[in-house]
Amino acid sequence: MTRYIRHATAFGVVLLTALLVHTAWLQVLQGPSYGGNPANRRPTIARYEQPRGRILVGGRAVTGSRDTGEQLRYERTYTQGPLYAPVTGFASQRYGTTLLEHAEDRVLSGTDPMLSAFPLWNDFTRAQNPGGDVVTTLDPAAQRAAYTGLGARRGAVAAIEPTTGRILALVSAPSYDPAELSGNGPAVTRAWNRLNSDPAQPMLNRAVRQTYPPGSTFKVVTAAAALDSGVVTDLDEPTDSPDPYTLPGTTTRLANEAEDCEDAPLRYAFEFSCNTVFAKLGVDVGVAGMRAAAQDFGFNDRGLRIPFSVAPSSFDTTVDRGQLALSSIGQYNTRATPLQMAMVAAAVADGGQVRTPYLVERTTRSGGDPVATAGSRSARQVMHPSTAERLQELMTDVVTEGTGRSAAIRGATVGGKTGTAQHGVGNTGMPYAWFVSWAQGRGDTAPRVAVAVVVEDASARRGDISGGGTAAPIAKSVMEAVLHTPPAR
């Protein structure tokens, strides 16, 4: 009898060992393949079984969660969805996540190990943390001013705090309501198809994902290169620039919209946007000098994230002298996002320094305890401080005496540069109206805000479209909103 008991015990041990080995094999070796199998809905169910963390603007949540009572229990909700869509993006049970909802998904969904005081214990118990919160740098008044200013027109606005790189406003128009995409029913599919087939592209984030020819606003970069290189030493000396200017190596003659541009000093040429002067200055600086200046400002940077990716602005580095002339006035292959041009204006405002822009001030646990903070951002000197000082003077002249008068703010110092960018085959497309600017309020120790505005389809006759007439009033409203807001502490 004892022998049979021993055999039964041994057989039981073998069976138990086989079971343990098989279980380990399933969990360790086969687990990832099962977890990633499209037929396995458990990860999806777990993802939506608790409320998602919040995205906050000015201390208030602009996102939330709704209990549907269904298997995928919680759906994303949005407060003033179209206003903040270029920042939040969407979180859809069917189509995934975009923008901040995607870049900060681990915090918002509760899967970031930093949300737990004991992450190893959570791994062992497979417990899920409540979703954390994402606190943005946005100024709600500036965001609203930009959104209202654009109205029904296509375009974008980006605003930055020059001394820190904090993004104060990021607006793209037309916009859409991300809540339409939150769930997984037929209505979501219909909304997705409608939004993607809309020729106005409401889901395109024009502020950071669309590049435009910057036109005359790029003359800020060309002026910086000319002053830094010594090609121009005196703002009021004639520049030896013919009008019209024959592009080097071609028979093409470049003319001006403004008058009296022949041999105009840099001050006059900047104030009234003489194409011939800046085209020749770019050629005099040379390809290497212009390339270095543009790249210092941030052009050709493919790694910028805020924390979601930004389309690279481009300055062609393989141009001949004729193409360089056009590139130096923001035409040919020169292209920029509104965020990039806001960085250009911010560099002038901050004494020639560019700071990496950022959109997330901090992330926190659901109770408010900090998980991560933005911290101070390093500055990159892109021009001599004396050059920045002279450019501040030139940009101020544009607003007080030149083409940007409609951006003037009583009691504040405002600098700006207008731009009207031609595009399309034979420049037949409706011009883009640009304005870049910065503002410093009375009593402020430094400029508080730098703004870039582009309007694609200004509601005016072609000849009336201009950065000063169309884009500058929008920039003014954004700058006023920031100046009327107490500085962040």
Side-chain angles (χ1 to χ4, degrees), residues 415-438:
K417 182 71 188 80
T418 56
T420 306
Q422 308 292 336
H423 68 101
V425 178
N427 290 334
T428 56
M430 191 71 78
Y432 297 138
W434 275 95
F435 193 70
V436 300
S437 59
W438 51 266

Side-chain angles (χ1 to χ4, degrees), residues 398-458:
V398 167
V399 175
T400 57
E401 302 172 15
T403 56
R405 293 185 187 91
S406 56
I409 299 172
R410 184 183 299 274
T413 301
V414 179
K417 182 71 188 80
T418 56
T420 306
Q422 308 292 336
H423 68 101
V425 178
N427 290 334
T428 56
M430 191 71 78
Y432 297 138
W434 275 95
F435 193 70
V436 300
S437 59
W438 51 266
Q440 179 173 347
R442 184 187 294 135
D444 291 334
T445 58
R448 291 266 306 279
V449 59
V451 183
V453 177
V454 63
V455 179
E456 291 185 26
D457 54 351

Side-chain angles (χ1 to χ4, degrees), residues 193-236:
N193 292 335
R194 185 188 77 250
L195 290 169
N196 279 284
S197 62
D198 189 334
Q201 297 180 283
M203 289 200 295
L204 171 63
N205 190 335
R206 290 168 163 84
V208 296
R209 296 278 173 86
Q210 177 74 3
T211 60
Y212 303 86
S216 293
T217 60
F218 190 79
K219 291 171 183 174
V220 177
V221 178
T222 303
L227 289 166
D228 264 2
S229 66
V231 168
V232 174
T233 57
D234 190 326
L235 300 181
D236 298 301

Side-chain angles (χ1 to χ4, degrees), residues 156-218:
V157 179
I160 298 174
E161 187 174 66
T163 56
T164 62
R166 298 169 70 245
I167 295 175
L168 304 177
L170 206 64
V171 169
S172 177
S175 190
Y176 71 103
D177 188 353
E180 291 188 278
L181 304 175
S182 292
N184 55 36
V188 171
T189 303
R190 289 194 297 271
W192 176 263
N193 292 335
R194 185 188 77 250
L195 290 169
N196 279 284
S197 62
D198 189 334
Q201 297 180 283
M203 289 200 295
L204 171 63
N205 190 335
R206 290 168 163 84
V208 296
R209 296 278 173 86
Q210 177 74 3
T211 60
Y212 303 86
S216 293
T217 60
F218 190 79

Side-chain angles (χ1 to χ4, degrees), residues 116-420:
S116 172
F118 306 102
L120 293 179
W121 176 254
N122 275 27
D123 289 344
F124 178 75
T125 62
R126 301 199 175 189
Q128 188 167 349
N129 299 303
D133 293 340
V134 174
V135 180
T136 71
T137 59
L138 293 180
D139 180 324
Q143 184 80 1
R144 171 63 67 180
Y147 183 79
T148 303
L150 281 172
R153 294 171 292 190
R154 296 186 200 179
V157 179
I160 298 174
E161 187 174 66
T163 56
T164 62
R166 298 169 70 245
I167 295 175
L168 304 177
L170 206 64
V171 169
S172 177
S175 190
Y176 71 103
D177 188 353
E180 291 188 278
L181 304 175
S182 292
N184 55 36
V188 171
T189 303
R190 289 194 297 271
W192 176 263
N193 292 335
R194 185 188 77 250
L195 290 169
N196 279 284
S197 62
D198 189 334
Q201 297 180 283
M203 289 200 295
L204 171 63
N205 190 335
R206 290 168 163 84
V208 296
R209 296 278 173 86
Q210 177 74 3
T211 60
Y212 303 86
S216 293
T217 60
F218 190 79
K219 291 171 183 174
V220 177
V221 178
T222 303
L227 289 166
D228 264 2
S229 66
V231 168
V232 174
T233 57
D234 190 326
L235 300 181
D236 298 301
E237 284 293 318
T239 53
D240 189 24
S241 304
D243 182 11
Y245 173 55
T246 302
L247 300 181
T250 76
T251 58
T252 302
R253 300 203 304 174
L254 182 67
N256 297 288
E257 296 286 340
E259 299 178 349
D260 301 324
C261 287
E262 183 175 359
D263 298 332
L266 182 59
R267 187 187 302 278
Y268 181 92
F270 193 92
E271 191 173 321
F272 294 99
S273 213
C274 295
N275 285 334
T276 52
V277 172
F278 282 91
K280 185 175 182 297
L281 285 178
V283 172
D284 291 344
V285 170
V287 173
M290 285 300 302
R291 178 181 65 236
Q295 292 184 170
D296 282 346
F297 275 100
F299 285 78
N300 300 336
D301 180 1
R302 297 186 174 275
L304 180 60
R305 304 185 68 86
I306 62 171
F308 47 81
S309 63
V310 176
S313 299
S314 58
F315 184 83
D316 198 332
T317 61
T318 61
V319 292
D320 60 29
R321 296 174 76 237
Q323 294 162 343
L324 176 62
L326 293 176
S327 298
S328 300
I329 59 172
Q331 297 289 347
Y332 189 56
N333 287 339
T334 304
R335 297 186 68 87
T337 62
L339 180 63
Q340 173 61 66
M341 294 313 298
M343 291 169 62
V344 169
V348 174
D350 194 30
Q353 299 182 110
V354 163
R355 298 178 190 272
T356 303
Y358 65 99
L359 189 54
V360 175
E361 196 74 77
R362 62 186 179 276
T363 55
T364 72
R365 298 185 178 93
S366 58
D369 295 332
V371 173
T373 58
S376 61
R377 296 298 171 108
S378 59
R380 182 174 72 251
Q381 195 76 34
V382 301
M383 67 184 105
H384 299 315
S386 59
T387 294
E389 185 176 346
R390 288 193 281 183
L391 278 173
Q392 289 177 8
E393 183 180 340
L394 293 178
M395 293 182 75
T396 303
D397 288 347
V398 167
V399 175
T400 57
E401 302 172 15
T403 56
R405 293 185 187 91
S406 56
I409 299 172
R410 184 183 299 274
T413 301
V414 179
K417 182 71 188 80
T418 56
T420 306

